[in-house]
Amino acid sequence: MHTYIALVPGHGARVSPDGRRAYHDPGAQAVARDAEGRSETLIEEDRVRVLADRLHRRLVLAGVACGVHDAAGPSPADDPARSYRRRCLDGVRAGMASGADRVLVVHVHLNAGGGRYPLAVHHPGEAGTPDWCGHIEAALAALPGLDRRRGASTVVDFPRARGLIEAAWQAGKACAPKPVHAIVLEAAFLDQPAHWPLLSDGGLDLIADAVLSGLRAAGVV
């Protein structure tokens, strides 16, 4: 079964066609310090776009139909929720047009709150995705500084993920003859010092490699 992977990076600034900023949603932020005491502000909107790009490159090289769906250009009256739904719809439409048998929307985010575990969150009402998420989390937990969380990561435990997953389902209902699935990826914590090396450019390569490995192990790609 051929799968189209629609990567939807979270948060960010959207700029209207006339150049005005419609809104700004940076997501989580943290100040990281290295061993020499130098500091860097980590902003979720920036890091997830780098991660989505790195993962996209790997999927393309692996021969997987995929795309990053992060189009700019809403009206100045737009809001983040509406823009996010539009990105999901763009991803699902691209998947339908690709000839793939199904679409997997991967919402690319990063966590905050000082934890040490990676998350690949699924909806318990959706068949298939629990196993996929388990393989992704296992691959990520093998990276330095990341520990495996006990138990499946579902929207019951992480209710903020529910709206993201359901936005993809709604997009699927709008244009679907084919199955549409969705997960929320939060591969590391911005405010966890043990994860700061993974949030560097080279570290994000490691995360992208691990996510691809998990998708392969799950038989998604």
Side-chain angles (χ1 to χ4, degrees), residues 24 26-30 41-48 110 190:
H24 186 219
Q29 300 182 50
T41 300
L42 299 174
I43 304 174
E44 184 177 5
E45 64 166 312
D46 298 331
R47 296 288 83 193
V48 297
L110 289 167
L190 280 170

Side-chain angles (χ1 to χ4, degrees), residues 19-41:
R20 294 173 56 195
R21 178 161 288 185
Y23 66 85
H24 186 219
D25 174 23
Q29 300 182 50
V31 178
R33 291 181 173 81
D34 62 18
E36 284 72 41
R38 293 171 297 195
S39 64
E40 177 188 6
T41 300

Side-chain angles (χ1 to χ4, degrees), residues 54-67:
R54 303 292 170 83
L55 183 53
H56 177 254
R57 292 184 198 176
R58 283 156 175 77
L59 289 166
V60 169
L61 288 173
V64 180
C66 61

